[in-house]
Amino acid sequence: MKPLHIETPLFESRPLSIQAGRSVWLKLEALQPPGSFKIRGIGHACQEYVQRGAKRLISSSGGNAGIAVAYAGRHLSVPVLIVVPETTSDRAKALIRQEGAEVIVHGDSWQEANELAESAVGESDVLVHPFDDPLVWQGHSTLIDEVAGSDVKPGALVVSVGGGGLLCGLVEGMRRNGWSEVPVIAVETEGADSLAQSTRAGHRVELSAITSLAITLGAKKICQRAFDCTRDHPLHSVVVSDRAAVAACQRFLADHRVVVEPACGASLAAVYDGAPEMDDFESVLIVVCGGATTTLEQLEEWADGNV
Ligand SMILES: *Cc1c(COP(=O)(O)O)cnc(C)c1O
């Protein structure tokens, strides 16, 4: 079956390369039709579930995962229900509804929305997890196949980490393509740094709250497989401030004319601001993971405010 994601542009960024003093490659996942890399993994998982007989797709993500499930459902001709908390922005709800999905607003937090979503799951429905599912990782791994197929092999990969699904998928793809020695520079924002804290502690740490504005990175705990990746793949953890992530989004807009979320800006900030973890590498590839819920106005508000 034809995948639901598209093959995205891969090129060397002149402005980022000059700024970083090394070769900086971009994989532009921001240009996936639903706005982020999420459609790779979620699209693949939804295709599988529908093929196995699922009659309806359910998600409790008001972010890019929910948008990807809605997009997948429309293309697979199955109904989609997305339960989101009251904190979800009007723009996010509009993007989900635009894909034809039903949106139910319930509860003050994601936990409450997720509980309702779980209770709505009928016999032939499937609740799609945003990051902790081997099918999702398998879909994300196709990103590395595309890069390797273009004969590009960077010295290191720069990746944003939320729950760690993208990380798991990329590590899977790197193994398949003989890139096991290529390190991952895993980037989070302060207040959403569950991977950084877990690597320091030597076990998975659950954050008591998410205090970063990069809510897309706001998984309180990374999945077990992502934690395992920090041990069996070379990995450097980097944490940047919200302010740096927002500034990087604005700079990227000026340099490449694409709006991305601070979740993605985190990875861009690590390169724009020359994180020392980059020093050993002649070239890096940034997974420009994208994000559909941020607007230009929102970026300006964050930049003007005291983030
Ligand atoms: C989901 C998402 C992330 C984090 O991905 P995980 O698989 O949860 O680690 C980062 N950036 C964007 C834009 C996302 O949508």
Side-chain angles (χ1 to χ4, degrees):
M1 210 194 301
K2 200 168 158 288
L4 297 177
H5 65 264
I6 63 167
E7 182 166 344
T8 53
L10 168 72
F11 61 90
E12 190 176 1
S13 164
R14 184 67 181 152
L16 271 142
S17 298
I18 291 172
Q19 170 66 26
R22 69 197 76 241
S23 178
V24 177
W25 288 78
L26 305 176
K27 184 66 173 154
L28 265 194
E29 292 301 295
L31 299 188
Q32 289 291 350
S36 79
F37 73 93
K38 285 257 175 24
I39 189 60
R40 287 185 187 268
I42 287 181
H44 176 64
C46 291
Q47 266 181 334
E48 277 290 321
Y49 291 130
V50 169
Q51 214 165 28
R52 294 177 197 173
K55 296 280 185 283
R56 185 170 67 148
L57 304 168
I58 301 179
S59 164
S60 55
S61 163
N64 298 309
I67 297 167
V69 173
Y71 180 90
R74 181 167 64 82
H75 284 266
L76 297 167
S77 305
V78 293
V80 174
L81 169 65
I82 314 281
V83 186
V84 300
E86 275 148 24
T87 49
T88 306
S89 70
D90 288 341
R91 174 173 167 84
K93 284 181 275 192
L95 288 169
I96 295 167
R97 290 198 177 107
Q98 180 172 280
E99 296 297 345
E102 179 187 357
V103 177
I104 293 181
V105 181
H106 176 81
D108 293 334
S109 69
W110 174 79
Q111 273 78 10
E112 289 165 66
N114 190 55
E115 275 166 30
L116 183 69
E118 281 178 344
S119 71
V121 178
E123 212 172 290
S124 54
D125 300 338
V126 60
L127 183 61
V128 182
H129 197 282
F131 56 82
D132 196 3
D133 180 341
L135 287 173
V136 169
W137 310 334
Q138 203 185 337
H140 292 337
S141 75
T142 57
L143 188 152
I144 300 294
D145 297 334
E146 286 173 22
V147 180
S150 309
D151 279 332
V152 172
K153 188 174 184 182
L157 211 64
V158 183
V159 181
S160 296
V161 175
L166 177 59
L167 172 67
C168 295
L170 296 177
V171 167
E172 180 178 324
M174 291 200 280
R175 288 220 172 119
R176 183 164 62 234
N177 285 282
W179 289 20
S180 291
E181 81 291 1
V182 177
V184 171
I185 298 173
V187 191
E188 298 169 291
T189 49
E190 289 164 7
D193 53 341
S194 47
L195 178 132
Q197 293 201 22
S198 299
T199 50
R200 267 202 307 277
H203 58 86
R204 280 195 300 158
V205 170
E206 177 159 357
L207 305 179
S208 53
I210 300 300
T211 54
S212 170
L213 61 77
I215 46 172
T216 298
L217 301 185
K220 287 186 181 167
K221 200 168 161 188
I222 56 170
C223 62
Q224 181 62 45
R225 175 72 198 122
F227 182 71
D228 295 343
C229 285
T230 68
R231 307 204 140 178
D232 39 71
H233 192 91
L235 181 138
H236 306 276
S237 167
V238 173
V239 179
V240 303
S241 67
D242 279 352
R243 178 184 285 276
V246 169
C249 291
Q250 292 188 302
R251 235 168 133 176
F252 190 72
L253 172 62
D255 283 341
H256 286 291
R257 306 158 304 278
V258 174
V259 175
V260 296
E261 285 184 15
C264 176
S267 280
L268 298 169
V271 178
Y272 274 126
D273 298 339
E277 286 77 4
M278 226 70 64
D279 287 353
D280 291 341
F281 310 108
E282 273 176 26
S283 70
V284 296
L285 180 132
I286 309 177
V287 177
V288 184
C289 48
T293 67
T294 291
T295 60
L296 182 55
E297 292 70 31
Q298 176 84 78
L299 282 180
E300 282 167 354
E301 267 171 43
W302 279 327
D304 292 344
N306 294 314
V307 300

